[in-house]
Amino acid sequence: MTIFPRYTRIVFSVIIGFLLFLTENELVGQEAIKFNTIVIDAGHGGKDPGAIGKMSKEKDIVLDVALKLGAYINEYLPEVKVVYTRSKDVFVPLNKRAEIANKNKADLFVSIHANSISVPSIAGAETFVLGLHRTEENLEVAKKENSVIVLEEDYSTTYEGFDPNSPESYIIFELMQNVHLDQSIHVASLVQNQFHSRVGRNDRGVKQAGFLVLREAAMPSVLVELGFLSNNKEEKFIASEEGKTYMASALYRAIRDYKTEHDEKSKMQDLTQAKIKAKNEIYYRIQIASSKAQIKAGTKIYKKFEDLWEYKEGQYYKYTTRCVSDYNEIVEQLKAVKKEVHDAFVVAFHNDQKINVSDARKMTNDK
Ligand SMILES: [Zn+2]
């Protein structure tokens, strides 16, 4: 007695098989990537000076800090590509900045700014991630940084009617799903820790607000406010050579630590992926030895075949070398191995289980 006719059952199993196939391949396809590109965004520039202090302009301070940061990364993390949204005093529209980061497939986007406020006693550094402001104060910072778009031609079209001064325009940031939020918050807290513990800045914390420059960035991204140019003492510090160097090196250390963590995680993911891959695919190996007693690591055979792999069959420990998914390739490799071990032969595995070589070839459609 069957519920489904034979034809339907076949269709079912084909569909289920196909779904399983998809899942496995999707898992295998997601290879983790190392941190290899950073985009450093010096805010403002050209006709847009940003915040103005008694003795300095935001656009000049942030450009110097950006270039110093880039130089540190070039020197100490030479494998990381540094891309600047601007490396001189020019005006760059906000949407172009994120575009540069996306085009370069950056792993991190760091926008550098300095602040100004009507209360001169306020001082300290703060780092923002994209989101809806929780306080009016955060909204004010976003408004100020976003208002530079009015210097762009046709900004209303570019930003689809976004009005930097209208609180209603910011509601959209509540609806935005930022997949990189956790990582962005983490980078921001590493930055704040460095500013506080290594440079002794007043830590104003990690905050959220709707910054247009971060909105289009398709990677973890932060906006750093180095300090307040409206505070005399702070302006003197962050506008000085020493201050800029300290702030840049603090940013460098935060980014270095993030990269280390990021690459460590990628490595773990790669290992997991490799395990999944090996488990779900057919592999050919070359068997070179078989023994009732287990061969200890460090013995001659292990030195000769660095990739020696052991499996147990019945009472025997069996030892193989090489591991490839292509039958023709293993046959090629067998020729070389046979020069060392005359009676070496090919074995096949599926889900880490030994199977007949002929079955394996049928499963992989080898001719
Ligand atoms: Zn700014």
Side-chain angles (χ1 to χ4, degrees):
M1 190 189 86
T2 51
I3 300 167
F4 298 109
R6 191 176 143 78
Y7 168 76
T8 321
R9 272 183 289 138
I10 291 169
V11 171
F12 264 67
S13 46
V14 167
I15 291 172
I16 289 166
F18 185 65
L19 286 176
L20 284 174
F21 174 82
L22 268 186
T23 330
E24 281 170 12
N25 276 278
E26 271 163 20
L27 281 168
V28 172
Q30 288 171 7
E31 280 193 15
I33 309 159
K34 270 195 158 190
F35 185 113
N36 51 29
T37 306
I38 183 169
V39 168
I40 304 174
D41 175 46
H44 314 276
K47 63 184 173 187
D48 167 23
I52 296 173
K54 278 211 174 82
M55 50 179 285
S56 62
K57 289 177 187 146
E58 178 183 354
K59 67 170 185 176
D60 301 322
I61 294 173
V62 298
L63 179 59
D64 287 349
V65 172
L67 296 175
K68 278 174 190 284
L69 168 61
Y72 279 126
I73 295 170
N74 285 331
E75 188 174 348
Y76 298 111
L77 300 171
E79 72 276 23
V80 174
K81 181 177 157 198
V82 176
V83 178
Y84 300 102
T85 54
R86 67 178 182 101
S87 54
K88 43 187 198 272
D89 187 17
V90 288
F91 181 79
V92 183
L94 282 190
N95 66 322
K96 285 273 173 285
R97 297 169 188 257
E99 210 178 287
I100 292 169
N102 294 344
K103 246 185 218 158
N104 282 280
K105 296 192 167 60
D107 299 294
L108 183 62
F109 179 74
V110 178
S111 188
I112 305 173
H113 291 258
N115 220 333
S116 168
I117 199 165
S118 55
V119 185
S121 59
I122 292 177
E126 54 199 17
T127 302
F128 286 89
V129 299
L130 187 71
L132 185 71
H133 51 276
R134 301 276 153 82
T135 65
E136 278 305 304
E137 209 186 345
N138 295 358
L139 173 62
E140 286 312 309
V141 181
K143 272 188 185 173
K144 201 176 294 160
E145 299 294 5
N146 291 337
S147 67
V148 302
I149 62 171
V150 302
L151 298 174
E152 295 175 25
E153 266 173 48
D154 208 16
Y155 75 87
S156 186
T157 312
T158 311
Y159 302 97
E160 291 161 334
F162 186 91
D163 175 359
N165 292 310
S166 147
E168 283 76 41
S169 281
Y170 289 83
I171 291 166
I172 183 78
F173 290 101
E174 186 173 32
L175 304 171
M176 288 189 64
Q177 288 277 329
N178 186 346
V179 288
H180 303 289
L181 184 62
D182 288 348
Q183 280 166 291
S184 301
I185 290 173
H186 183 56
V187 175
S189 61
L190 289 173
V191 167
Q192 284 303 122
N193 283 344
Q194 286 291 341
F195 282 161
H196 181 67
S197 67
R198 305 292 287 266
V199 196
R201 309 315 298 160
N202 175 35
D203 178 9
R204 290 175 53 85
V206 173
K207 298 173 175 183
Q208 260 183 303
F211 291 92
L212 286 174
V213 71
L214 302 181
R215 189 172 73 171
E216 305 300 327
M219 71 280 313
S221 38
V222 295
L223 186 143
V224 177
E225 294 281 359
L226 299 172
F228 289 83
L229 300 186
S230 43
N231 178 286
N232 286 344
K233 210 176 145 199
E234 190 149 77
E235 184 191 12
K236 257 184 209 150
F237 176 74
I238 57 175
S240 71
E241 253 339 276
E242 192 196 12
K244 286 185 282 197
T245 301
Y246 271 117
M247 297 306 272
S249 76
L251 281 168
Y252 161 73
R253 284 192 296 263
I255 291 159
R256 175 202 60 195
D257 293 349
Y258 175 68
K259 175 185 156 50
T260 307
E261 288 173 18
H262 177 279
D263 290 353
E264 198 53 47
K265 265 187 216 152
S266 297
K267 214 166 115 191
M268 295 305 290
Q269 272 173 33
D270 277 345
L271 285 175
T272 315
Q273 294 299 339
K275 271 184 198 159
I276 291 169
K277 206 169 170 176
K279 237 180 142 53
N280 289 312
E281 283 183 12
I282 287 169
Y283 275 90
Y284 299 100
R285 303 173 196 266
I286 298 171
Q287 189 158 315
I288 52 173
S290 165
S291 161
K292 257 193 174 172
Q294 193 172 20
I295 301 175
K296 288 199 175 71
T299 48
K300 226 176 166 183
I301 188 169
Y302 269 97
K303 279 175 192 151
K304 193 159 195 165
F305 297 96
E306 282 177 343
D307 65 342
L308 197 72
W309 186 78
E310 175 197 280
Y311 72 100
K312 208 175 173 197
E313 197 174 35
Q315 293 183 307
Y316 287 87
Y317 292 95
K318 299 186 173 181
Y319 296 87
T320 69
T321 178
R322 315 298 164 98
C323 180
V324 297
S325 53
D326 182 71
Y327 178 74
N328 296 320
E329 198 183 324
I330 202 77
V331 170
E332 269 311 300
Q333 296 197 16
L334 179 65
K335 288 177 192 162
V337 176
K338 272 193 174 239
K339 285 179 189 154
E340 309 274 347
V341 186
H342 301 293
D343 52 355
F345 56 93
V346 172
V347 278
F349 292 86
H350 179 240
N351 290 344
D352 273 347
Q353 292 293 314
K354 193 181 163 194
I355 58 169
N356 286 332
V357 172
S358 57
D359 288 345
R361 292 182 67 188
K362 267 179 223 150
M363 286 164 87
T364 51
N365 292 324
D366 269 326
K367 299 275 141 41

